[in-house]
Amino acid sequence: MNYAIIKLKPGKEESLKRFHPWVFSGAIHSMSVQPEEGDIVKVTDSKGNFIAVGHYQIGSITVRILSFEDTPIDLEFYKVRLQAAYNVRQSIGLIDEEYNNTYRLIHGEGDYLPGLIIDIYDHTAVMQAHSPGMHYARHILAQALQEVMGDRLKSIFYKSETTLPYKAQLDATNEYLYGGDAGNIAIERGLKFHVDWLKGQKTGFFVDQRENRALLERYARNRSVLNMFCYTGGFSFAAMRGGAKLVHSVDSSSKAIDLTNKNVELNFPGDTRHEAYAEDAFKYLEQMGDRYDLIVLDPPAFAKHRNVLHNALQGYRKLNALAFEKIQPGGILFTFSCSQAVSKNDFRLAVFSAAAQARRKVRILHQLTQPADHPVNIYHPEGEYLKGLVLYVE
Ligand code: SAH
């Protein structure tokens, strides 16, 4: 195949030499021919020496690197990458048919496949492309995935309608690339839940909170728990198994509340400790009184871009201040930010300001992040996005 060759300006190869997987538009000197969006291109330094091969895209990130070796990007290439990702999950004990069949198989740059997400729910893979290159590769990826997973995989649902760059006008449709509905009950650490990849947010479940839910379970005994921004109730059923006295789940989406109720019923049928409310977070927190001594705040990304960072930090401060004002003395607050644009320090500062505003004594018990199946490529620190603090409030 004849790939377009993208030559960099002198000195602009430095970050690639340190294996950072993006080429920014400003680094480009010239192109041998104008590639189409999603094409595979080769990148060279200013003298024409090969550096890397990747997917071309129009925008500030112009090339997402697939390999620093001059290798064909074909079925075999994707198979090797998918197999390596599977092996890591298996070798760290994450995959277990009975106990945990929910995990992220591919986490973009963290698995050396920028622009691609694959989450596994029992026998179904939900695949999400964030770049035109991965969109065009979806069928070959689906084939590679079937070859790697064998009969552990019964269906592949492609869900990229809202994740591809709007300007590329790819008109992706959400559809099965292989199989069909293969049952939608999956298991996380022995707890069951319904996943709605057809209509639910993201790939249907927030796989990234597994370890943090496990930690919450350890602290839940005899506590009155508020799971704010509960979505499908992952933290709620962990709290119930941990022996919570009562668990209240709140989300502004009534669909999320329905799913949470279904999931609680699936694990703890008839258990009256749980109630769920479809309400706005700020309204609920203002009116809820002081009955809770364990609160989870896991809001959606307040900042999708750096330019709205200031507002986002105000949002985190306001939200956390409400929790600090209302939580019982001796209470524990699990507070998160999943905005990639908000740094660990920014987030901690917002929470610190909230604590001071509420005039509470607060200590950090744990600093949390994303789990091992959302690995961060050491050369791509931007891949670290989930931040959490567990706080003891006097
Ligand atoms: N904690 C969840 C994931 C949270 S995702 C889990 O473990 O799976 C963020 C959730 O916040 C979404 O379900 C969304 O519906 C909800 N949400 C967004 N804005 C909200 C608001 N103003 N008040 C309450 N919930 C809100």
Side-chain angles (χ1 to χ4, degrees):
M1 200 160 183
N2 268 336
Y3 299 141
I5 292 173
I6 294 188
K7 193 190 267 192
L8 301 182
K9 293 174 184 163
K12 291 293 183 187
E13 72 283 1
E14 282 309 315
S15 68
L16 291 177
K17 290 246 158 96
R18 291 192 304 272
F19 306 113
H20 189 273
W22 296 343
V23 174
F24 291 99
S25 55
I28 294 172
H29 172 270
S30 57
M31 304 198 248
S32 64
V33 287
Q34 175 63 46
E36 300 276 331
E37 278 215 275
D39 276 358
I40 291 160
V41 294
K42 286 191 183 183
V43 181
T44 72
D45 65 13
S46 58
K47 298 193 185 86
N49 300 311
F50 173 87
I51 300 179
V53 54
H55 279 142
Y56 176 78
Q57 186 169 335
I58 295 167
S60 121
I61 303 171
T62 308
V63 186
R64 285 159 204 265
I65 302 304
L66 295 163
S67 178
F68 291 97
E69 278 162 36
D70 195 357
T71 181
I73 306 300
D74 54 11
L75 176 68
E76 188 54 28
F77 170 83
Y78 287 119
K79 251 177 82 175
V80 170
R81 289 280 154 103
L82 293 176
Q83 185 70 57
Y86 185 85
N87 292 351
V88 171
R89 274 76 181 160
Q90 192 165 50
S91 76
I92 59 175
L94 212 59
I95 309 176
D96 184 315
E97 182 93 359
E98 303 289 313
Y99 180 71
N100 196 75
N101 58 29
T102 302
Y103 56 94
R104 178 156 290 192
L105 176 66
I106 297 294
H107 185 60
E109 284 82 356
D111 286 292
Y112 312 111
L113 290 171
L116 183 68
I117 297 293
I118 301 178
D119 285 340
I120 306 290
Y121 300 109
D122 192 13
H123 296 300
T124 299
V126 181
M127 189 160 116
Q128 197 159 68
H130 291 256
S131 68
M134 287 301 179
H135 172 67
Y136 290 124
R138 66 195 181 283
H139 294 292
I140 189 169
L141 280 163
Q143 191 184 338
L145 188 58
Q146 285 171 67
E147 290 183 24
V148 167
M149 302 271 296
D151 57 11
R152 287 164 298 203
L153 188 73
K154 298 207 173 91
S155 69
I156 301 174
F157 187 67
Y158 182 64
K159 189 176 185 185
S160 305
E161 263 176 21
T162 57
T163 57
L164 288 161
Y166 171 73
K167 284 190 190 143
Q169 297 192 311
L170 297 167
D171 292 328
T173 39
N174 293 346
E175 60 183 344
Y176 285 100
L177 298 180
Y178 167 61
D181 185 353
N184 69 345
I185 294 181
I187 305 174
E188 177 183 271
R189 298 185 312 109
L191 291 161
K192 292 186 201 130
F193 60 92
H194 295 266
V195 211
D196 185 358
W197 46 79
L198 299 180
K199 298 202 199 75
Q201 299 176 40
K202 304 273 169 104
T203 65
F205 187 73
F206 285 81
V207 184
D208 56 0
Q209 289 287 22
R210 181 194 318 104
E211 302 300 330
N212 302 332
R213 290 180 188 126
L215 186 66
L216 176 104
E217 190 171 332
R218 275 169 41 198
Y219 286 122
R221 179 153 305 280
N222 287 329
R223 289 194 180 259
S224 299
V225 179
L226 170 65
N227 179 11
M228 179 53 77
F229 306 98
C230 66
Y231 188 41
T232 56
F235 282 105
S236 304
F237 38 95
M240 291 179 78
R241 190 168 65 179
K245 203 153 55 185
L246 70 87
V247 179
H248 291 169
S249 306
V250 180
D251 198 288
S252 57
S253 148
S254 54
K255 258 197 248 150
I257 292 301
D258 290 347
L259 269 167
T260 296
N261 279 326
K262 262 171 89 177
N263 287 337
V264 168
E265 200 48 35
L266 197 60
N267 294 286
F268 306 96
D271 196 323
T272 54
R273 289 178 297 157
H274 180 258
E275 280 173 56
Y277 307 101
E279 275 240 39
D280 172 71
F282 289 91
K283 198 167 148 214
Y284 189 91
L285 290 166
E286 268 161 22
Q287 296 172 354
M288 70 185 186
D290 60 0
R291 60 192 309 189
Y292 302 111
D293 58 2
L294 204 177
I295 298 180
V296 182
L297 297 175
D298 183 23
F302 282 172
K304 295 238 156 74
H305 306 285
R306 288 290 299 179
N307 49 10
V308 291
L309 188 61
H310 179 73
N311 289 350
L313 292 176
Q314 293 293 339
Y316 287 117
R317 188 178 52 75
K318 194 170 157 208
L319 186 68
N320 283 278
L322 282 167
F324 283 129
E325 278 159 22
K326 304 290 175 73
I327 197 166
Q328 283 275 330
I332 295 177
L333 175 63
F334 278 65
T335 184
F336 296 97
S337 163
C338 60
S339 304
Q340 203 228 298
V342 173
S343 72
K344 212 187 286 183
N345 270 340
D346 290 341
F347 178 59
R348 195 193 281 202
L349 202 60
V351 176
F352 160 94
S353 311
Q357 187 183 324
R359 303 188 62 80
R360 300 290 294 260
K361 265 172 95 177
V362 176
R363 280 178 279 176
I364 299 176
L365 302 184
H366 299 272
Q367 302 181 49
L368 307 178
T369 184
Q370 62 221 52
D373 51 342
H374 296 58
V376 182
N377 175 341
I378 203 161
Y379 306 113
H380 179 254
E382 297 91 329
E384 188 178 345
Y385 70 98
L386 185 61
K387 299 153 287 287
L389 293 169
V390 182
L391 305 166
Y392 188 81
V393 188
E394 282 167 59

